[in-house]
């Protein structure tokens, strides 16, 4: 198989992980955890979400978190921004990269942002334009690419159409999300075969949830097809509040263990990653799904 | 990628899973669980181990289990047999397939069976010869193929030499074990590239533990290279008592979910598999690592 020399791991735990936790994590603890993650060498950390606190109360301290963290020059600090107000707060918080989000299936988009896809696209276009004016990097999440909890199969034509739209808006990266963790390696191949003739591999990230244990397996054909950017979360925290039965993201430690064993550099320190994942597990007060964390703790 | 139409899943939970559990499972419960597994359509179930009860007290009821289970004509019932006494008991219990075991690393073999590899080979030869005389099918486990907890790297030459020896004894199948769950997909490719010119793919099974979350990812290149036989355990039970930090086998439900989603037939019923895994989890009284079981139970 083809293997890249280097892969970029995008840590989404502080956002995608915590947004789904019922336990409140104190602002100073979020900051300490993010600072730990920065010291692991991770090149990208999504630190919070500037959505209205009514929707995601677990991240209602987004501005304090963004302002409170220590910055590493090697890390890009990103945040989710749903609209222009969110973007304003993100800019005030010194966020480097603004992430917008959109579902590939109409029902999930409606449940997620209370708007149809076409109106969401109009809003995102304004956010992306403004983010660029603020000199921020941009990323678009396209959710439910590999399956929708409401509509089941999502037509590849819809994924192509929305990817084209996002690219045409000028986003720097599109993260294709397996929101419900239902993807399989052949589906990854099929989606990438459809998109790679239109979008350069360098602009695509893959965002797998591990609901059915297939997240790492899905990364293998993607690597072979030239994808070098993957979203993961510390300890395997995460899920989607609007996708019943969905589980955590691929665990950062598990993905990095596999890649490093394959001789693929991620620029990170495994001991520090394990420590950070164990630390947040203790703060939340539950076991996290990361296999490497479990092995480390039962040694 | 190349995908086979059909894959054989070898259920090892009642042996490899239970042998590592400190909880005692009553004989009638073992029998009931194996009967449930038979009804899922699994083509192979390793029901127990005929080792001396001093070594694995959890399976000290091996003969009662073997005699007590209901047989499905679609399932091969196998058991681990370390020596001629074990084989005699296995034959008395009506076992269809006798499984012997050997480590690819000297230290692990010594700790596992208290003998050097060369003396173990002599013993296994007698067991295989006798099993064939009894008209039993045979299988040989080669452990620590992808790494040893004591010697770390295991030279591929040693794996080749021992595979050749086992094949020359006439075993029907060799199961290559990632005992400590340290393998990565590139290593799977390397091992298969070394062995496939000498051993037909149909005679090779792969036995991955999921200690670091890589078990399903390791299956992907193996499928692509023509392997169609994989060992898994119900609920992801398992580990190795002589491999510190090792975790459960790849979970039967997770592997089968992935394969079936890829259009690969396994001849099994997922609902029945989930029920059986949940049933044994309750008997043992702990959460099991299977992601599909967790998703099923939190729905």
């Amino acid at each position: 198989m083809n293997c890249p020399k280097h892969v970029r791991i995008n840590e989404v735990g502080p956002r995608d992980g915590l947004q789904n936790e019922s336990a409140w994590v104190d602002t100073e603890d979020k900051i300490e955890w993010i600072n730990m993650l920065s010291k692991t060498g991770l090149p990208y950390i999504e630190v919070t979400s500037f959505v209205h606190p009514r929707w995601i109360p677990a991240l209602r301290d987004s501005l304090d978190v963004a302002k409170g963290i220590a910055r590493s020059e090697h890390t890009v600090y990103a945040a989710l921004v749903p609209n222009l107000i969110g973007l304003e707060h993100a800019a005030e918080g010194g966020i480097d990269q603004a992430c917008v989000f959109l579902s590939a299936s109409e029902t999930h988009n409606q449940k997620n942002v209370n708007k149809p896809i076409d109106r969401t696209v109009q809003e995102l276009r304004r956010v992306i334009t403004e983010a660029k004016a603020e000199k921020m990097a941009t990323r678009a999440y396209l959710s439910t690419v590999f399956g929708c909890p409401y509509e089941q199969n999502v037509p590849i034509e819809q994924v192509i159409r929305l990817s084209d739209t996002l690219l045409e808006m000028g986003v720097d990266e599109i993260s294709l999300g397996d929101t419900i963790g239902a993807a399989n390696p052949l589906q990854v191949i099929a989606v990438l075969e459809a998109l790679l003739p239109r979008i350069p591999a360098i602009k695509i990230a893959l965002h797998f949830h591990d609901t059915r244990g297939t997240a790492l397996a899905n990364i293998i054909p993607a690597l072979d097809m030239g994808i070098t950017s993957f979203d993961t979360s510390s300890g395997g925290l995460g899920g989607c509040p609007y996708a019943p039965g969905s589980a955590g993201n691929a665990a950062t430690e598990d993905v990095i263990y596999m890649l490093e064993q394959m001789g693929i550099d991620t620029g990170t320190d495994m001991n520090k990653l394990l420590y950070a994942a164990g630390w947040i597990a203790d703060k939340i007060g539950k076991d996290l799904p990361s296999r490497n964390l479990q092995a480390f703790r039962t040694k």
Side-chain angles (χ1 to χ4, degrees), chain A residues 48 50 59-68 89-90 92-94:
Chain A
T48 190
F50 289 95
L59 302 182
R60 63 177 181 263
D61 54 359
S62 49
L63 192 54
D64 292 336
V65 169
K67 285 184 169 174
H89 290 149
E92 189 187 340

Side-chain angles (χ1 to χ4, degrees), chain A residues 32-278:
Chain A
E32 189 171 344
W33 181 40
I34 294 166
N35 289 349
M36 275 181 214
L37 291 169
S38 287
K39 287 181 188 149
T40 65
L42 282 162
Y44 173 107
I45 305 177
E46 206 163 295
V47 294
T48 190
S49 173
F50 289 95
V51 300
H52 196 286
R54 191 193 314 143
W55 302 119
I56 308 200
L59 302 182
R60 63 177 181 263
D61 54 359
S62 49
L63 192 54
D64 292 336
V65 169
K67 285 184 169 174
I69 54 175
R71 309 290 170 111
S72 156
E73 58 178 317
H74 305 295
T75 305
V76 168
Y77 296 90
L80 211 65
V81 293
N83 51 34
L84 289 171
I85 298 169
L87 185 73
E88 206 176 292
H89 290 149
E92 189 187 340
I95 289 297
D96 304 316
Q97 186 158 10
C99 309
V100 298
F101 52 100
L102 179 69
S103 299
S105 59
E106 200 59 72
T107 321
H108 187 267
N109 198 73
Q110 186 72 41
K111 298 226 181 213
N112 205 20
V113 299
N114 211 21
K115 263 182 261 196
I117 287 175
D118 285 348
R119 277 188 47 214
T120 309
V121 165
Q122 291 165 23
E123 179 84 24
L124 298 194
R125 192 181 298 276
R126 287 191 287 270
V127 176
I128 295 295
T129 305
E130 189 60 27
K132 288 177 161 293
E134 295 268 5
K135 312 281 183 223
M136 290 161 91
T138 55
R139 160 180 259 230
Y141 283 104
L142 189 58
S143 299
T144 64
V145 165
F146 300 90
C148 169
Y150 309 105
E151 301 176 18
Q152 279 71 48
N153 290 336
V154 176
I156 187 74
E157 296 72 25
Q158 174 83 337
V159 173
I160 291 173
R161 182 177 76 83
L162 294 172
S163 299
D164 283 352
T165 305
L166 292 166
L167 209 66
E168 173 259 317
M169 283 182 198
V171 298
D172 297 313
E173 187 175 45
I174 299 179
S175 175
L176 305 170
D178 180 21
T179 311
I180 56 169
N184 70 71
L186 287 186
Q187 201 183 1
V188 172
I189 293 172
V191 167
L192 291 176
E193 277 176 349
L195 293 181
L196 283 174
R198 323 169 71 95
I199 310 179
I202 196 78
K203 292 208 162 208
I204 297 178
L206 288 172
H207 181 104
F208 293 120
H209 284 252
D210 203 31
T211 315
R212 292 166 187 88
T214 55
L216 269 67
N218 289 333
I219 290 176
I220 299 303
L223 288 172
D224 192 41
M225 294 175 80
I227 304 299
T228 57
S229 179
F230 298 95
D231 300 353
T232 64
S233 80
S234 178
L237 263 172
C240 174
Y242 304 102
S246 72
N249 292 78
T252 304
E253 310 78 46
D254 292 350
V255 174
I256 288 180
Y257 172 83
M258 180 176 77
L259 295 174
E260 295 275 352
Q261 289 291 312
M262 293 171 77
I264 300 170
D265 172 48
T266 63
T268 59
D269 180 317
M270 180 57 83
N271 286 329
K272 291 179 180 171
L273 289 167
L274 288 167
Y275 184 82

